[in-house]
Amino acid sequence: MAIRLDLAALVQLAPNARSSYRAAAAAGQPVLDRYGISANRLRSAHFLAQVLHESGALTLLVENLNYSAKRLPQVWPKRFAPLGPLDPADYANQPEKLANSVYGGRMGNVEPGDGFRYRGRGLLQLTGREAYHQSTQALRVLQPLAPDFERDPDAVAASEWCLQVAAAEWDRKGCNLLADQDSLHRVTRAINGGLNGLGDRHDWLMRVKALV
């Protein structure tokens, strides 16, 4: 039996949710069913926990890169002094410059400005030109008229597509099977590439499990 997405419960967890995310959730059951996320409680709980963390409790449409000089070495310790080569003062409160530096030259970002153009967006904070391209290809398997997210990055966070993008990304990374194992570490590595924010993700998972 499919787990039903309870919008009231979701709003209880994220009372400041963006209207576009609320709209996506209200119409989202077919999307969760299509990608097998609603097949059992563990998949639903792990998916929602990752979404709630990545989107800042459904408040972030686009990644906030407006960091202070003090915060930068904490987020990117290998890039910024004292451990890294970059001076935090040169990048503090400069989101575009920061994104182009920390994301440029990787994740498919090859053109000038790609780091900022393909910064994190949407429910799972899709990041990097390659991820935007892969998301387009994945969605068009079932939705031939899906936007080209590489050409229109902001569509990733639009109400019509944000949940579909997140679900397709979840599916592409094999997260249903990892969630079936109730492995927060493995799900987080698949979504994040590391274990950033693991404590917050764990807290969200416990809260979601109490409701689904």
Side-chain angles (χ1 to χ4, degrees):
M1 180 178 176
I3 303 298
R4 307 302 297 176
L5 179 60
D6 186 341
L7 182 59
L10 192 59
V11 171
Q12 179 181 336
L13 288 173
N16 297 316
R18 294 272 188 169
S19 59
S20 58
Y21 288 156
R22 292 187 188 220
Q29 191 66 45
V31 177
L32 301 184
D33 295 346
R34 184 183 309 135
Y35 288 96
I37 296 168
S38 62
N40 62 50
R41 176 174 172 268
L42 281 176
R43 293 181 183 185
S44 298
H46 277 273
F47 177 75
L48 289 175
Q50 294 291 328
V51 161
L52 286 161
H53 170 79
E54 291 286 343
S55 67
L58 307 182
T59 63
L60 297 177
L61 297 177
V62 182
E63 182 179 9
N64 180 7
L65 289 162
N66 191 28
Y67 289 106
S68 67
K70 180 180 179 180
R71 179 65 175 150
L72 285 171
Q74 298 171 1
V75 180
W76 287 283
K78 293 181 180 180
R79 290 181 176 269
F80 291 96
L83 300 180
L86 302 179
D87 184 348
D90 291 340
Y91 294 85
N93 308 118
Q94 298 186 68
E96 187 167 356
K97 180 180 179 180
L98 174 63
N100 287 329
S101 176
V102 298
Y103 295 147
R106 63 191 185 99
M107 298 184 293
N109 294 330
V110 294
E111 299 293 335
D114 275 359
F116 185 70
R117 186 177 300 112
Y118 298 107
R119 65 197 185 279
R121 284 181 179 83
L123 290 169
L124 286 180
Q125 290 293 282
L126 194 72
T127 307
R129 179 191 282 267
E130 183 178 3
Y132 281 72
H133 173 76
Q134 290 175 338
S135 183
T136 300
Q137 300 305 111
L139 248 66
R140 285 183 171 176
V141 171
L142 298 174
Q143 299 274 15
L145 298 181
D148 182 341
F149 299 115
E150 191 175 354
R151 296 185 63 181
D152 183 12
D154 287 334
V156 164
S159 59
E160 183 179 0
W161 300 106
C162 60
L163 186 58
Q164 296 190 61
V165 168
E169 185 76 354
W170 176 270
D171 179 70
R172 185 175 68 81
K173 293 183 173 181
C175 290
N176 277 334
L177 294 180
L178 302 179
D180 288 343
Q181 300 166 30
D182 201 13
S183 176
L184 177 62
H185 280 68
R186 296 184 70 187
V187 171
T188 298
R189 285 191 185 278
I191 294 298
N192 175 256
L195 295 175
N196 294 336
L198 186 65
D200 187 62
R201 294 173 203 266
H202 176 269
D203 291 346
W204 278 119
L205 182 60
M206 294 301 100
R207 294 177 68 185
V208 173
K209 280 184 173 180
L211 293 176
V212 300

